[in-house]
Amino acid sequence: QVHLVESGGGSVQAGGSLRLSCEASGYTYSSFCMGWFRQAPGKEREGVASVDRDGTPRYADSVKGRFTVSKDNAKNTLYLQMNSLKPEDTAMYYCAAESAGCTLVAGQPSSSYMEHWGQGTLVTVSS
């Protein structure tokens, strides 16, 4: 059974940094597409960043240059380093996984194809 557990969320001021972690278990981690999604109150869930099974990273335009996604296959852990945080980054952040690689919609993994989800970790950025 696939299990994803996020950690690392918190409250920071604008311009600050946070690092999110997603520990995975129950499957061959390195063969999956892994992604970070977020959902702010009253808004739809959106993709933030992902790492495909071949290691290809992808980012939403809104976070390019500020966020870095990485994974450690030995630790079965996905990371999201978030720098220069803005109030508009405030959201619940979710880790997700899709077997057999990322299914892309408009060049980005889609939440519709993600098969497994964590419980989320809250990020709050104050101005």
Side-chain angles (χ1 to χ4, degrees):
Q1 183 176 357
V2 177
H3 196 215
L4 303 173
V5 179
E6 303 98 332
S7 61
S11 297
V12 296
Q13 290 191 326
S17 298
L18 284 173
R19 188 175 83 154
L20 306 184
S21 298
C22 171
E23 187 172 351
S25 61
Y27 65 102
T28 306
Y29 176 77
S30 60
S31 67
F32 275 51
C33 165
M34 299 294 300
W36 289 100
F37 293 78
R38 67 185 180 187
Q39 188 166 19
K43 295 188 176 181
E44 292 186 356
R45 189 170 297 188
E46 62 175 358
V48 177
S50 64
V51 181
D52 215 329
R53 58 179 180 171
D54 64 357
T56 301
R58 297 181 177 92
Y59 298 94
D61 288 342
S62 59
V63 305
K64 281 181 181 176
R66 299 189 298 122
F67 290 10
T68 301
V69 64
S70 62
K71 65 176 184 174
D72 186 330
N73 288 338
K75 295 183 178 180
N76 285 359
T77 302
L78 180 73
Y79 301 101
L80 185 67
Q81 178 66 45
M82 305 186 296
N83 298 328
S84 302
L85 282 161
K86 304 176 181 180
E88 51 264 43
D89 294 317
T90 295
M92 186 71 79
Y93 283 70
Y94 298 91
C95 173
E98 179 185 355
S99 61
C102 298
T103 300
L104 303 180
V105 176
Q108 295 291 333
S110 169
S111 60
S112 299
Y113 294 94
M114 289 294 175
E115 299 158 303
H116 310 285
W117 293 87
Q119 82 289 349
T121 186
L122 182 62
V123 172
T124 303
V125 185
S126 58
S127 57

